Amino acid sequence: MRKMLLLAALMVAALPMVAQQVKYSVKGSSPKDGEKVYLSWQDGPRSTVIDSTVVVSGQFAFEGEQQKEAIMRVMRAGDSWQVIFFNDGTPVSIDLEKRTLKGSPLNERLTTYDLLTDKPGEAVHRVIEEYAALQADPSLTNEQKEQKVNDELMPKIQKAMEEMGAVLKRIFEENRDNIIPAAFFMQMANNVDEDYLMEILDDKYPFTRHPVVAPIKKQLDAQFAVRRLRMQMIGKQFVDLEEADVDGKMHKLSEYVGKGTWVLIDFWASWCGPCRAEMPNVVANYEKYHAMGFDIVGLSFDQKKEPWVKAIGDLNMPWTHLSDLKGWNTVASSLYNIRSIPASVLVDPTGKVVAIDLRGEALGAKLQEIFGQ
């Protein structure tokens, strides 16, 4: 999965955009007098607080101007959630206790979708809390902590991300004709795969022109250009290379690929969290189909031998492993246009590339199609 790396790309500051200013009017209720309420707006990947007030007699209010269709957020001090709305010029009324909003049809629809993200969002938050507690536990060694992260936390975060991804895909599918997906775009970039993100960032969808999405889309389009270049490998012969195995002996990729078996060339690294989260799925498919003629060659983007070899053992990866220990400068990166990992290339028995970047259910589905079970 390249989700985490995609998110890192999104954190680059968005380009400034000149936009029409529209007045906003927010009235709200909350039961605790004196508590602080904040109003923020989303500026690219950031949320910036632009006003604050306190609850008086169960009520609060905000008024001002912000760019048209800006994503606005209202939250109380101490809450882990926010009520969001688009600044479309229609006054909004918010009940922070019930998390309800009255306003334009667009904003009322937005609220219903926002609530759908609560359950998977809370699951992610719990894993983050578990991780913090684990790291602070003085009774565990660093190795024990790493093992618990890999064995216990990674599967939980993977499940939560898959659940969030399903909700976010539903939001997009039901709102192709409006800007609602813009409010969830940062979450979407971190919880759906790159193929899906490429598909939905088509200029024909209104949300891609939203001020939050447009500058980030420009950045991602450059990444997608690299992926489209990689997709051109499909139907062509694999590219040979030479790297060392874990014992330092040099091997050519052609020793294993194009020799009558289906081979997944898997690009990964011991330090890559998404790679490690995906590995149980890769191992399961290897165990299921290896006897039928499926093999894997792992090409690592590590720089140091020790963590590379250790990860192979920790993650129970019994296939061939090669690396030149040059990190992102590895020969595999340039020959296969790899800019983020995990990545993969599936090669047929004759050495022809048939698919790239099969992960999660997609890998199992493709192998089932090939082997018939």
Side-chain angles (χ1 to χ4, degrees), residues 6 37 51 249 264 306 315:
L6 279 171
V37 180
D51 202 354
K249 183 179 179 181
L264 184 75
E306 184 178 346
L315 297 171

Side-chain angles (χ1 to χ4, degrees), residues 183-196:
F184 304 94
F185 181 65
M186 306 308 294
Q187 292 168 287
M188 194 169 291
N190 197 33
N191 290 279
V192 302
D193 60 50
E194 190 172 290
D195 285 339
Y196 191 79

Side-chain angles (χ1 to χ4, degrees), residues 20-323:
Q20 176 186 352
Q21 297 293 297
V22 173
K23 290 184 178 180
Y24 59 81
S25 175
V26 180
K27 293 183 179 180
S29 63
S30 186
K32 297 181 181 179
D33 285 358
E35 67 181 352
K36 202 79 171 282
V37 180
Y38 299 93
L39 175 70
S40 63
W41 78 293
Q42 188 171 329
D43 179 16
R46 303 178 297 268
S47 284
T48 303
V49 174
I50 57 175
D51 202 354
S52 64
T53 188
V54 294
V55 177
V56 177
S57 300
Q59 305 293 313
F60 66 90
F62 296 107
E63 288 189 350
E65 286 190 352
Q66 191 52 260
Q67 69 182 51
K68 184 179 180 181
E69 297 180 345
I71 299 170
M72 311 289 283
R73 302 175 183 274
V74 176
M75 71 175 295
R76 294 180 297 197
D79 283 343
S80 60
W81 47 265
Q82 304 167 333
V83 174
I84 62 177
F85 64 94
F86 290 109
N87 185 30
D88 58 7
T90 301
V92 298
S93 176
I94 296 172
D95 185 326
L96 282 179
E97 192 67 15
K98 296 179 180 179
R99 293 186 62 185
T100 58
L101 178 148
K102 292 183 179 180
S104 66
L106 180 72
N107 278 324
E108 291 181 6
R109 183 178 177 88
L110 171 63
T111 299
T112 63
Y113 285 111
D114 188 34
L115 293 173
L116 291 179
T117 66
D118 278 1
K119 184 178 178 180
E122 289 170 0
V124 172
H125 185 68
R126 284 195 299 271
V127 175
I128 292 173
E129 289 181 335
E130 286 183 52
Y131 178 82
L134 177 65
Q135 296 304 312
D137 189 343
S139 68
L140 299 175
T141 66
N142 288 336
E143 287 189 356
Q144 289 173 324
K145 291 177 181 179
E146 182 180 354
Q147 193 69 43
K148 281 184 171 290
V149 168
N150 294 332
D151 295 345
E152 299 174 17
L153 299 191
M154 280 298 185
K156 289 181 181 180
I157 194 70
Q158 182 72 15
K159 181 180 179 182
M161 288 174 68
E162 289 174 354
E163 291 176 353
M164 179 67 83
V167 170
L168 295 170
K169 286 180 179 180
R170 173 185 169 183
I171 291 172
F172 171 74
E173 297 299 336
E174 295 179 359
N175 294 279
R176 289 171 176 257
D177 60 348
N178 61 59
I179 63 172
I180 282 178
F184 304 94
F185 181 65
M186 306 308 294
Q187 292 168 287
M188 194 169 291
N190 197 33
N191 290 279
V192 302
D193 60 50
E194 190 172 290
D195 285 339
Y196 191 79
L197 202 56
M198 286 176 62
E199 175 190 343
I200 67 174
L201 281 178
D202 191 297
D203 292 337
K204 66 184 177 184
Y205 299 123
F207 90 97
T208 64
R209 297 185 290 277
H210 188 276
V212 164
V213 179
I216 301 172
K217 177 182 181 299
K218 185 176 181 180
Q219 297 168 18
L220 287 176
D221 280 344
Q223 286 185 240
F224 295 157
V226 173
R227 177 160 174 76
R228 293 186 182 98
L229 183 63
R230 293 190 61 232
M231 292 177 69
Q232 293 176 15
M233 292 188 297
I234 296 176
K236 299 178 181 178
Q237 287 296 111
F238 78 99
V239 181
D240 204 6
L241 56 80
E242 188 175 28
E243 292 185 335
D245 64 16
V246 294
D247 296 318
K249 183 179 179 181
M250 299 300 293
H251 292 275
K252 288 188 175 181
L253 194 56
S254 53
E255 294 176 37
Y256 314 99
V257 181
K259 300 297 184 181
T261 59
W262 291 83
V263 180
L264 184 75
I265 304 173
D266 186 40
F267 306 92
W268 73 292
S270 66
W271 45 261
C272 170
C275 299
R276 300 184 74 119
E278 174 67 11
M279 208 54 70
N281 176 59
V282 179
V283 171
N285 280 287
Y286 177 83
E287 293 175 345
K288 182 176 182 179
Y289 295 107
H290 179 58
M292 303 180 197
F294 174 60
D295 211 342
I296 301 174
V297 177
L299 300 182
S300 171
F301 281 51
D302 278 276
Q303 289 183 294
K304 296 182 179 180
K305 181 178 179 179
E306 184 178 346
W308 170 43
V309 175
K310 184 177 184 301
I312 292 171
D314 289 346
L315 297 171
N316 301 311
M317 302 156 64
W319 48 83
T320 298
H321 292 276
L322 304 175
S323 181

